[in-house]
């Protein structure tokens, strides 16, 4: 691989990653939230004698923060995954996933392992090695199995990715709805993890040289390593591809989930007025138009009316925004 | 717009088989429409309900409350269902030439 | 036509095997029993909606406008720019499948396009094709699809097989709400005149006459007078039912089915008794005589247009605040849209219960209260004398209606009432109540006769949960707080679980409510003799 690529590829990927992510988040953030539409998964705050569910149906900002942290850190909603009905009685179909908490476990295992691995890698980009990176690495390598000793997360992430791929292939419904792009995301992740594992445990690379190179990248003064080796090039390439496509694929959920209105809005729709920036005028059928049509019937039924004698002069007077009276329709009997 | 031919008469009806123009109703129409509800010969009780509905409709432009229909004619709801298997709103109203009530009903 | 009902055993035999042809193939078969009739030309003309014409979904030619594709794409662009929910939900789904078996229509039909994830993909695939670089560049590989007439028909079919119940959004790790997607999908269909009669006719009636059924003011009065007469027979007490009365403290708005259909009507009797007993100074309005809002099932604009009447009428009558009846989607609108759309309600006051003095701060902006909140407060303050034994012929379970549940968080208020008015109450299994409640299968404008098969399929999971408590506890009554439920649960339960009735919470309250000066009750509100009391946990 030409030296210039070793320098150009990671920078292009970084630019696409940061630029793409910023663009996506900006696009979402710039799009108005016209209505207050939280999905309420707990009791609202209403009567004094009824305990509100502060996190599942948050009425305060603190509650919302709690709800989002539970979602982001512990995948609260995924954890809800339940059977479709009272299967014990054999009365309700239970068609799809035998896995109930397995998906949650797989997702947690994958995402948290990935986070730990990223933190471990911080040492490659920061001088001196950040304490958090060495601490995480020491905890991760606690079991000291094998030589070099295996990181627990390296094992977990492989198993988790394998499971996520396996369930897509095994379950007929999931296989049916999976897109090529979904397999692409898994393939890239497997390439990243696989090449990294090979690099550490099989075809070991010169870590000193690699760190010199990555520190250079981070300091914007890059020098390519003299003989990087195929394993390292593969790892670098796959990581670059992952970063480059992340903002443009479903993997962007990592950023998007924090903006989800059904989760990050407080359930205070009646307590505080939510303002819609584009609240479009909607003309409606006014009381005056209505009384004009039904006056005789109202009078005959002895119901109170505004104008005992004749029509409203100006049908718009009541504040309705309709331009013209409704199109002619067959008279009501 | 669909039409339906019953006993040699042709009627303009909506997709549910309700009379398109409720004003074009008479007893012959009722007898014809009743066949679509599986009623070959209308009984006296069935006529009583249909005429009541018709009368109410001409005054108020809609069918009466189901409860009122039952009570004022001295029938229980299940009796109305026995007379008109699709029920008061969908069966009896159709025979009486009323439009089909829509909404949360 | 007397309905030809499919055999329950046949509908219960659902195979969850995806078809051979991939989901990207949009062709659907409009099979009788699984779709709804098209809206009549006259209603579209009256409402000023686009493309009025005589057509049916089963027609080969839908008579779309020549530039329909541009209209849809422009409509999508416009909504992508106005709704963060829509844009975000187009972008972040990972197709993990956690939502798939949460949809009652998927459980009941086995059709993979009734999984929330694929329902959304129907529109997401078009989004990718026309609005994302990846979709433009890589087409099918990136999950993109061309917008064709078949795709539009597929949208029509599947966006009218979603009841906007939001159950999937509870389980989605990112809170993706299919209701948002279905609502936008239906809005787009409305732009080219593809809407259904069961939604558009109530909308037209509501706009012009004041309620979905088209009950005119003199008919409204006739119905309420009948209710007052019947209450007098039942209790010996004559209640006042004011209509359009200026200067009342409270405007009371209920779904129109409450003063038309059964068993809704018994709930109306319950409200009237409670309001009388609590001594509330209130009025109905014949102009704003509809609590429900079928506009919600057509477009946001129509929601606003119909909802506007409540505040306009409250202002004209000079009331202080608004009380709303038992209705599902009405409360989604009131709780999550009304203040935004038609507020600020600065001409009203924060609701205060005249009977208990409770100030309902949670409604301090919208100034509208749910009747269950109001009654629960009365009961909590001991303001109502209750004799639960008058409900002993009922063995009750509670069906959380989707919208008050997942769009409001109204879980304990109705239960507080039920526990005080009943001796026999049993919950359905946990995974089928509260935020995980299962839909009746007929909401969002789908409760039609012609859609019978799909309704029975979609409602089956709910019915099975009822069956569970029926077998275990002898349940014979499902209480609920939604007019659609009251209309559509009875045929659903008759189909799957015969022998279970449906009642509103306030009907059961009315049975138990001991009114001051009432004569001894001999029947319940339905006119059934009370001698048979004490049947208990049969």
């Amino acid at each position: 691989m030409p030296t210039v690529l070793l320098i150009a590829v990671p920078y292009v990927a970084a630019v696409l990653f940061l630029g793409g992510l910023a663009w996506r988040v900006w696009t979402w953030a710039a799009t108005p939230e016209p209505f207050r539409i939280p999905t309420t998964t707990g009791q609202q705050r209403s009567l004094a004698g009824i305990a509100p569910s502060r996190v599942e149906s948050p009425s305060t900002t603190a509650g919302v923060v709690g709800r989002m942290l539970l979602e982001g850190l512990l995948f609260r909603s995924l954890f809800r995954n339940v059977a479709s009905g009272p299967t014990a009685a054999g009365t309700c179909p239970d068609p799809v996933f035998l896995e109930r908490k397995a998906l949650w476990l797989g997702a947690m295992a994958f995402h948290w392992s990935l986070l730990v691995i990223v933190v471990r890698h911080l040492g490659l980009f920061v001088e001196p090695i950040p304490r958090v990176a060495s601490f995480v690495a020491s905890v991760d390598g606690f079991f000291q199995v094998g030589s070099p000793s295996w990181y627990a997360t390296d094992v977990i992430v492989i198993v988790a990715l394998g499971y996520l791929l396996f369930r897509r292939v095994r379950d007929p419904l999931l296989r049916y709805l999976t897109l090529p792009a979904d397999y692409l995301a898994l393939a890239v992740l497997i390439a990243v993890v696989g090449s990294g594992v090979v690099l550490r445990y099989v075809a070991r690379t010169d870590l000193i040289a690699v760190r010199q190179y990555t520190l250079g990248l981070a300091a914007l003064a890059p020098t390519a390593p003299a003989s990087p080796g195929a394993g390292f090039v593969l790892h670098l390439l796959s990581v670059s591809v992952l970063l480059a496509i992340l903002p443009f694929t479903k993997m962007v959920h990592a950023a998007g989930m924090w903006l989800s209105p059904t989760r990050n809005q407080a359930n205070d729709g009646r307590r505080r007025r939510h303002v819609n920036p584009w609240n479009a005028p909607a003309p409606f059928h006014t009381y005056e138009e209505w009384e004009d049509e039904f006056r005789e019937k109202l009078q005959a039924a002895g119901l109170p009316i505004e104008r005992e004698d004749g029509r409203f002069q100006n049908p718009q007077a009541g504040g309705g925004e309709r331009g013209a009276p409704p199109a002619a329709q067959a008279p009501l009997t | 717009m669909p039409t339906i031919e019953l006993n040699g008469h042709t009627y303009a009806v909506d997709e549910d088989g309700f009379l398109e123009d409720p004003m074009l109703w008479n007893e012959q129409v009722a007898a014809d429409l009743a066949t679509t509800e599986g009623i070959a010969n209308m009984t006296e009780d069935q006529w009583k309900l249909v005429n009541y509905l018709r009368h109410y409709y001409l005054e108020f432009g809609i069918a009466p409350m189901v409860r009122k229909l039952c009570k004022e004619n001295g029938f229980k709801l299940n009796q109305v269902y026995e007379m008109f298997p699709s029920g008061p709103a969908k069966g009896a109203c159709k025979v009486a030439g009323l439009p089909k009530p829509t909404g949360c009903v | 036509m007397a309905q030809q009902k499919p055999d329950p055993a046949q509908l219960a035999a659902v195979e969850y095997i995806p078809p051979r042809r991939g989901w990207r193939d949009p062709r659907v078969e409009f099979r009788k029993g699984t779709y709804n009739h098209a809206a009549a030309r006259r209603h579209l003309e009256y409402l000023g909606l686009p493309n009025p014409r005589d057509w049916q979904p089963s027609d080969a030619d839908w008579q779309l406008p020549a530039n329909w594709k541009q209209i849809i794409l422009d409509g999508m662009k416009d909504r992508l720019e106005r709704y963060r929910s829509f844009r975000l939900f187009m972008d972040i789904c990972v197709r993990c499948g956690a939502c798939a078996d949460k949809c009652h229509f998927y459980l009941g039909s086995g059709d993979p396009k009734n999984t929330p994830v694929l329902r959304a993909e129907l529109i997401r695939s078009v989004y990718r094709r026309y609005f994302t670089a990846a979709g433009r560049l890589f087409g099918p590989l990136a999950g993109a699809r061309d917008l064709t007439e078949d795709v539009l028909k597929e949208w029509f079919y599947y966006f009218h097989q979603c009841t906007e119940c939001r159950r999937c959004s509870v389980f989605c790790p990112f809170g993706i709400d299919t209701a948002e997607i279905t609502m936008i999908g239906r809005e787009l269909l409305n732009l080219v005149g593809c809407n259904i009669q069961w939604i558009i006719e109530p909308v037209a009636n509501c706009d012009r006459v004041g309620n979905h059924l088209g009950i005119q003011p003199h008919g409204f009065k006739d119905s309420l007078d009948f209710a007052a007469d019947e209450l007098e027979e039942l209790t010996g007490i004559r209640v006042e039912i004011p209509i359009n009365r200026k200067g009342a403290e409270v405007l009371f708005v209920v779904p129109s089915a409450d003063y038309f259909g059964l068993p809704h009507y018994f709930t109306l009797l319950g409200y009237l008794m409670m309001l009388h007993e609590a001594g509330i100074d209130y009025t109905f309005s014949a102009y704003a005589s509809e609590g429900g809002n079928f506009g919600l099932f057509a477009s946001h604009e129509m929601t606003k247009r119909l909802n506007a009447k409540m505040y306009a009428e409250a202002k004209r009558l000079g009331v202080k605040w608004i009380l709303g009846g038992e209705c599902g989607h009405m409360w989604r609108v009131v709780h999550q849209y009304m203040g935004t759309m038609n507020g600020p309600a600065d001409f009203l006051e924060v609701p205060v219960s005249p009977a208990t003095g409770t100030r309902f701060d949670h409604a301090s902006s919208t100034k509208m209260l749910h009747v269950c909140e109001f009654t629960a407060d009365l009961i909590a303050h001991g303001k109502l004398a209750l004799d639960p034994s008058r409900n002993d012929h009922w063995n009750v379970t509670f069906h959380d209606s989707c919208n008050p549940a997942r769009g409001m968080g109204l879980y304990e208020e109705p239960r507080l009432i039920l526990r005080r008015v009943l001796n026999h109450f049993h919950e359905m299994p946990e995974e089928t109540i509260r935020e995980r409640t299962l839909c009746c299968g007929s909401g969002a404008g789908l409760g039609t006769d012609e859609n019978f098969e799909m309704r029975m399929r979609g409602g089956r999971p709910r019915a099975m949960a009822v069956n569970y408590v029926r077998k275990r506890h002898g349940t014979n009554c499902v209480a609920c707080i939604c007019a659609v439920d009251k209309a559509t649960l009875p045929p659903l339960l008759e189909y799957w679980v015969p022998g279970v009735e449906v009642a509103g919470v306030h009907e059961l309250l009315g049975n138990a409510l001991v009114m001051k000066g009432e004569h001894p009750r001999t029947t319940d509100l339905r006119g059934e003799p009370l001698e048979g009391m004490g049947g208990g946990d049969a």
Side-chain angles (χ1 to χ4, degrees):
Chain A
M1 188 164 172
T3 313
V4 61
L5 284 186
L6 281 179
I7 291 167
V9 164
Y11 278 125
V12 169
V15 166
L16 282 171
F17 175 71
L18 294 172
L21 213 53
W23 169 72
R24 288 312 276 266
V25 171
W26 188 84
T27 311
W28 292 324
T31 309
E33 292 182 281
F35 302 110
R36 187 133 288 226
I37 52 164
T39 302
T40 52
T41 50
Q43 171 62 37
Q44 67 167 349
R45 183 173 145 208
S46 60
L47 305 181
I50 294 176
S53 181
R54 293 176 200 284
V55 171
E56 299 287 7
S57 190
S59 60
T60 61
T61 307
V64 169
V65 169
R67 192 181 203 196
M68 293 314 293
L69 288 177
L70 279 179
E71 286 295 355
L73 302 181
L74 297 175
F75 304 175
R76 170 77 183 95
S77 291
L78 205 53
F79 189 72
R80 281 179 212 283
N81 208 10
V82 288
S84 51
T87 48
T91 50
C92 205
D94 185 24
V96 192
F97 304 125
L98 296 172
E99 45 168 19
R100 284 301 159 209
K101 302 297 181 210
L103 176 58
W104 173 81
L105 199 62
M108 285 286 285
F110 165 70
H111 285 91
W112 277 100
S113 298
L114 202 62
L115 180 66
V116 167
I117 291 167
V118 167
V119 170
R120 273 205 268 110
H121 278 66
L122 279 183
L124 288 175
F125 299 92
V126 182
E127 177 70 43
I129 295 173
R131 229 176 259 180
V132 60
S134 39
F135 172 73
V136 163
S138 68
V139 172
D140 200 3
F142 174 78
F143 292 105
Q144 305 202 331
V145 176
S147 174
S149 69
W150 278 78
Y151 285 124
T153 50
D154 283 350
V155 180
I156 296 171
V157 81
I158 290 171
V159 173
L161 274 172
Y163 164 69
L164 292 176
L165 178 62
F166 170 73
R167 69 187 285 277
R168 269 197 196 279
V169 179
R170 183 208 58 174
D171 188 282
L173 179 72
L174 266 183
R175 205 165 57 228
Y176 184 77
L177 58 81
T178 296
L179 299 174
D182 298 327
Y183 291 121
L184 174 72
L186 280 171
V188 172
L189 284 165
I190 287 168
V192 168
V193 170
S195 58
V197 164
V198 166
L199 218 49
R200 177 172 167 82
Y201 304 103
V202 185
R204 303 211 58 190
T205 189
D206 178 357
L207 260 182
I208 309 281
V210 165
R211 185 153 188 268
Q212 242 172 3
Y213 161 68
T214 50
L215 282 173
L217 282 176
L220 301 181
T223 45
S227 51
F232 178 74
V233 171
L234 189 65
H235 193 56
L236 180 82
L237 272 182
S238 54
V239 170
S240 298
V241 169
L242 178 67
L243 289 177
I245 66 169
L246 190 141
F248 309 99
T249 63
K250 66 171 187 177
M251 289 184 279
V252 77
H253 68 265
M257 66 150 290
W258 302 99
L259 281 90
S260 183
T262 62
R263 291 290 184 274
N264 74 9
Q265 290 183 337
N267 179 25
D268 59 358
R270 278 185 293 159
R271 189 182 295 271
R272 265 181 287 280
R273 180 164 183 258
H274 177 92
V275 175
N276 174 359
W278 52 261
N279 197 12
F284 66 96
H285 195 60
T286 64
Y287 175 83
E288 289 76 11
E289 292 168 309
W290 180 83
E291 186 182 301
D292 277 347
E293 182 169 2
F294 295 106
R295 180 165 294 107
E296 288 73 30
K297 287 164 180 167
L298 285 159
Q299 281 170 318
L303 295 175
I305 54 173
E306 298 276 348
R307 297 266 166 111
E308 292 290 342
D309 46 357
R311 298 176 63 81
F312 283 92
Q313 294 302 307
N314 176 5
Q316 272 91 276
E321 296 155 28
R322 178 195 294 278
Q329 199 197 14
L332 295 160
T333 40
Chain B
M1 193 160 296
T3 57
I4 187 169
E5 196 181 310
L6 302 164
N7 304 328
H9 306 108
T10 304
Y11 301 105
V13 292
D14 69 9
E15 288 296 316
D16 295 304
F18 281 61
L19 211 55
E20 196 63 43
D21 180 358
M23 289 302 117
L24 297 178
W25 182 91
N26 58 38
E27 297 203 341
Q28 180 63 50
V29 177
D32 289 348
L33 287 172
T35 62
T36 70
E37 289 292 308
I39 301 163
N41 289 300
M42 295 263 287
T43 63
E44 200 177 311
D45 283 347
Q46 282 167 327
W47 277 119
K48 184 175 165 190
L49 274 185
V50 164
N51 286 324
Y52 177 84
L53 277 174
R54 195 67 206 167
H55 188 257
Y56 193 93
Y57 176 71
L58 290 178
E59 186 176 350
F60 293 103
I62 182 131
M65 284 198 296
V66 178
R67 180 72 172 174
K68 182 166 168 139
L69 174 78
C70 297
K71 195 165 183 186
E72 302 211 331
N73 290 285
F75 296 121
K76 293 207 161 217
L77 184 61
N78 59 356
Q79 292 176 296
V80 177
Y81 271 93
E82 278 162 24
M83 285 187 266
F84 297 95
S86 313
K90 286 150 192 173
C93 281
K94 185 201 276 185
V95 177
L98 274 58
K100 185 176 190 173
T102 52
C104 304
V105 291
Chain C
M1 243 132 288
Q3 285 281 321
Q4 284 293 328
K5 290 183 180 169
D7 175 19
Q10 206 184 325
L11 288 203
V14 182
E15 287 201 358
Y16 299 95
I17 300 165
R20 274 169 170 265
R21 64 188 170 104
W23 66 266
R24 296 170 37 78
D25 185 339
R27 286 169 297 165
V28 291
E29 180 200 352
F30 283 90
R31 188 165 53 80
K32 284 237 179 281
T34 65
Y35 69 94
N36 299 280
H37 295 150
R41 169 200 283 267
R42 65 177 189 281
H43 297 314
L44 269 62
E45 281 167 353
Y46 165 74
L47 290 165
L49 294 178
N51 200 19
R53 68 203 182 285
D54 297 316
W55 72 289
Q56 285 303 330
S58 50
D59 296 348
D61 178 8
W62 280 23
Q63 306 168 59
L64 298 173
N67 60 337
W68 69 268
K69 197 166 156 181
Q70 200 53 48
I71 294 174
I72 296 284
L73 292 176
D74 289 349
M76 275 183 80
K77 180 169 186 294
D78 172 48
R79 282 156 185 81
L80 286 166
E81 286 163 4
R82 281 194 292 135
Y83 292 88
R84 184 184 300 172
S85 54
F86 184 44
R87 184 177 278 276
L88 194 74
F89 297 162
M90 288 294 103
D91 285 328
I92 61 172
C93 176
V94 297
R95 286 166 294 285
C96 71
C99 59
D101 59 349
K102 308 308 178 290
C103 177
H104 51 286
F105 279 118
Y106 176 65
L107 293 175
S109 73
D111 181 346
K113 289 189 187 180
N114 270 326
T115 59
V117 46
L118 271 190
R119 199 186 310 282
E121 287 293 314
L122 303 181
I123 201 162
R124 215 176 261 137
S125 56
V126 172
Y127 163 74
R128 291 197 197 96
R129 165 68 183 77
Y130 297 93
F131 299 95
T132 71
R136 279 197 212 105
L137 288 174
F138 302 109
L141 291 176
R145 270 194 323 175
D146 284 330
L147 177 60
T148 65
E149 210 166 310
D150 278 336
V151 168
L152 195 80
K153 292 178 177 179
E154 177 197 44
W155 286 7
F156 181 88
Y157 190 69
Y158 287 106
F159 291 139
H160 291 102
Q161 285 186 10
C162 166
T163 43
E164 304 178 358
C165 79
R166 308 181 95 201
R167 189 167 193 258
C168 49
S169 85
V170 168
F171 296 92
C172 174
F174 316 132
I176 295 175
D177 182 5
T178 308
E180 287 293 299
I181 290 160
T182 294
M183 284 159 76
I184 298 283
R186 290 188 185 183
E187 251 184 58
L188 295 171
L189 289 163
N190 267 267
L191 295 178
V192 292
C194 296
N195 19 36
I196 69 172
Q197 174 76 348
W198 200 256
I199 292 171
I200 296 298
E201 181 163 299
V203 165
N205 280 339
C206 193
D207 186 77
R208 184 182 181 189
V209 183
N211 54 71
H212 291 153
L213 285 149
I215 297 170
Q216 300 171 48
H218 56 319
F220 183 56
K221 179 160 193 311
D222 180 71
S223 300
L224 292 183
D225 284 349
F226 176 83
D229 291 344
E230 190 157 42
L231 264 186
E232 191 170 5
E233 275 174 47
L234 284 164
T235 64
I237 293 169
R238 184 76 196 175
V239 300
E240 284 291 313
I241 311 181
I243 300 172
N244 288 15
R245 182 165 68 84
K246 284 195 176 179
E249 188 176 340
V250 177
L251 170 64
F252 187 34
V253 184
V254 304
S256 57
D258 283 354
Y259 51 91
F260 184 85
L262 290 177
H264 312 64
Y265 166 79
F266 306 120
T267 299
L268 172 75
L269 296 183
Y271 304 144
L272 296 173
M273 295 162 79
M274 180 278 290
L275 291 167
H276 175 85
E277 210 45 28
I280 309 302
D281 173 26
Y282 77 100
T283 181
F284 280 98
S285 161
Y287 164 71
S289 47
E290 179 62 67
N293 189 329
F294 271 40
L296 182 69
F297 310 141
S299 68
H300 289 88
E301 193 252 355
M302 198 57 85
T303 312
K304 181 176 175 180
R305 177 168 162 183
L306 297 185
N307 175 261
K309 292 174 158 198
M310 276 192 213
Y311 276 155
E313 185 67 344
K315 197 172 184 178
R316 185 185 75 85
L317 294 173
V319 301
K320 289 184 182 161
W321 53 277
I322 310 174
L323 182 65
E326 293 182 8
C327 180
H329 69 279
M330 161 188 185
W331 277 96
R332 171 98 133 102
V333 175
V334 171
H335 190 72
Q336 300 201 327
Y337 296 99
M338 181 167 175
T340 300
M341 284 177 165
N342 292 307
D346 43 18
F347 49 91
L348 297 174
E349 294 173 16
V350 178
V352 173
S353 172
T356 66
T358 302
R359 193 182 132 98
F360 297 98
D361 281 316
H362 69 290
S364 55
S365 168
T366 301
K367 280 125 177 164
M368 184 153 174
L369 214 56
H370 193 289
V371 69
C372 284
E373 295 167 342
F374 186 79
T375 303
D377 176 66
L378 288 176
I379 291 179
H381 284 82
K383 296 288 178 189
L384 299 178
L386 299 166
D387 176 4
S389 72
R390 290 184 194 167
N391 276 316
D392 276 354
H393 52 310
W394 291 128
N395 191 324
V396 180
T397 192
F398 181 65
H399 161 69
D400 287 275
S401 308
C402 308
N403 282 302
R406 290 180 282 258
M408 198 178 170
L410 186 92
Y411 297 109
E412 294 307 325
E413 294 86 344
R415 286 179 168 82
L416 188 151
I417 300 171
L418 289 175
R419 291 202 183 97
R420 298 292 290 274
V421 305
L422 298 168
N423 284 326
H424 311 292
F425 176 72
H426 301 282
E427 294 277 15
M428 284 180 275
E430 281 230 337
E431 64 270 26
T432 71
I433 56 170
R434 294 203 167 84
E435 77 278 5
R436 288 172 283 180
T437 187
L438 284 157
C439 179
C440 64
S442 302
L446 308 184
T448 67
D449 290 342
E450 66 266 24
N451 193 34
F452 187 82
E453 177 186 326
M454 213 56 215
R455 286 170 53 195
M456 293 305 107
R457 287 182 181 279
R460 183 161 171 259
R462 169 42 86 217
M464 291 303 102
V466 173
N467 193 34
Y468 182 84
V469 278
R470 176 160 178 74
K471 280 188 176 158
R472 190 160 283 217
H473 304 292
T475 299
N476 63 3
C477 177
V478 174
C480 58
I481 48 170
C482 167
V484 170
D485 284 334
K486 287 168 199 163
T488 67
L489 283 178
L492 179 83
L493 296 176
E494 190 194 322
Y495 190 81
W496 294 114
V497 202
V500 181
E501 304 272 328
V502 176
V505 165
H506 277 78
E507 175 188 343
L508 300 171
L509 173 90
N511 281 340
L513 183 63
V514 181
M515 297 175 77
K516 287 178 210 79
E518 70 176 14
H519 64 46
R521 287 270 189 109
T522 52
T523 69
D524 67 4
L525 298 189
R526 300 188 174 197
E528 299 297 329
L530 282 179
E531 288 85 82
M533 277 168 42
D537 275 0

